[in-house]
């Protein structure tokens, strides 16, 4: 079932009541934390006829109505937290946006590990800086550091390891 279809259900008031008792409403500008079951990363969840929906998504839906172009994938809207609290269900803290907006938020708010803090990073920041300063051909640099020339090019262009 698509999340917007919930608004058309004859038992909508019952679903809203089930939803509402599972969140801790505080002040109007505070986070209203979900107190029931959660999904990965602490997002609240509520089941409706066997389908699971994010509590933050339902909070947005019940407050503002149908979510345009909602879903997963390129060009699809999702519900984003402005408070960075995955358990929050205060509709004032939830906005629509694309996945790229969500990723930009995470980077801007330093919620994404960078450099050696990432588990798959193999090139230390010092080597990245040395590669950027090296005037030799990319092929020669790649041979010295035993990496692909393409990766050296991306480092030098600032496509890779932009935070360094």
């Amino acid at each position: 079932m698509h999340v917007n279809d919930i608004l058309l259900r004859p038992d909508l008031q019952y679903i809203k009541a089930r939803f509402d008792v599972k969140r801790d409403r505080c002040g109007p500008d505070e986070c209203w934390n979900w107190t029931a079951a959660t999904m990965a990363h602490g997002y609240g969840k509520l089941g409706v006829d066997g389908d699971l929906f994010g509590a933050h998504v339902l909070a947005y839906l019940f407050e503002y109505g149908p979510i345009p172009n909602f879903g997963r994938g390129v060009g699809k809207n999702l519900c984003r937290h402005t408070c960075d609290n995955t358990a929050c269900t205060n509709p004032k803290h939830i906005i629509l946006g694309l996945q790229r907006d969500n990723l930009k938020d995470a980077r801007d708010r330093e919620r994404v590990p960078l450099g050696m803090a990432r588990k798959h990073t193999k090139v230390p920041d010092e080597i990245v800086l040395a590669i950027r300063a090296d005037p030799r051909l990319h092929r020669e640099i790649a041979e010295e550091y035993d990496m692909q020339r393409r990766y050296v090019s991306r480092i030098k262009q600032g496509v890779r390891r932009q935070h360094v």
Side-chain angles (χ1 to χ4, degrees):
M1 162 184 0
H2 191 276
V3 70
N4 289 335
D5 295 340
I6 292 174
L7 296 175
L8 304 174
R9 293 178 56 100
D11 59 347
L12 176 61
Q13 293 311 312
Y14 170 73
I15 295 169
K16 283 183 175 181
R18 278 184 53 224
F19 170 79
D20 209 39
V21 299
K22 297 174 188 285
R23 59 187 183 158
D24 184 17
R25 283 185 172 214
C26 301
D29 296 322
E30 294 179 52
C31 288
W32 299 350
N33 288 324
W34 187 251
T35 60
T38 59
M39 297 184 278
H41 307 291
Y43 289 93
K45 66 180 177 180
L46 184 74
V48 178
D49 283 346
D51 292 319
L52 289 178
F53 298 97
H56 64 297
V57 174
L58 294 175
Y60 187 94
L61 180 78
F62 294 152
E63 182 72 17
Y64 303 112
I67 302 171
N69 201 26
F70 181 81
R72 288 220 169 292
V74 177
K76 296 286 189 176
N77 278 322
L78 48 83
C79 293
R80 303 163 38 216
H81 285 97
T82 59
C83 58
D84 284 336
N85 176 3
T86 58
C88 180
T89 61
N90 184 340
K92 287 183 173 182
H93 296 186
I94 303 167
I95 59 174
L96 293 183
L98 304 175
Q99 179 63 16
R100 70 171 172 241
D101 302 323
N102 210 27
L103 291 172
K104 183 180 181 317
D105 287 346
R107 281 192 300 271
D108 291 349
R109 297 172 187 162
E110 298 179 354
R111 293 184 61 219
V112 176
L114 298 172
M116 295 307 289
R118 296 183 63 156
K119 64 181 176 180
H120 297 295
T121 299
K122 296 181 175 114
V123 181
D125 292 348
E126 301 79 41
I127 293 179
V128 170
L129 292 171
I131 289 171
R132 289 204 178 117
D134 196 325
R136 295 179 296 160
L137 295 173
H138 295 187
R139 175 178 34 90
E140 295 170 355
I141 298 169
E143 287 173 7
E144 178 180 335
Y145 291 107
D146 191 29
M147 61 178 63
Q148 294 182 354
R149 185 201 55 77
R150 178 178 45 188
Y151 192 70
V152 170
S153 296
R154 289 181 176 166
I155 288 173
K156 284 190 155 285
Q157 294 166 358
V159 173
R160 288 284 182 211
R161 306 296 294 279
Q162 298 164 351
H163 69 284
V164 178

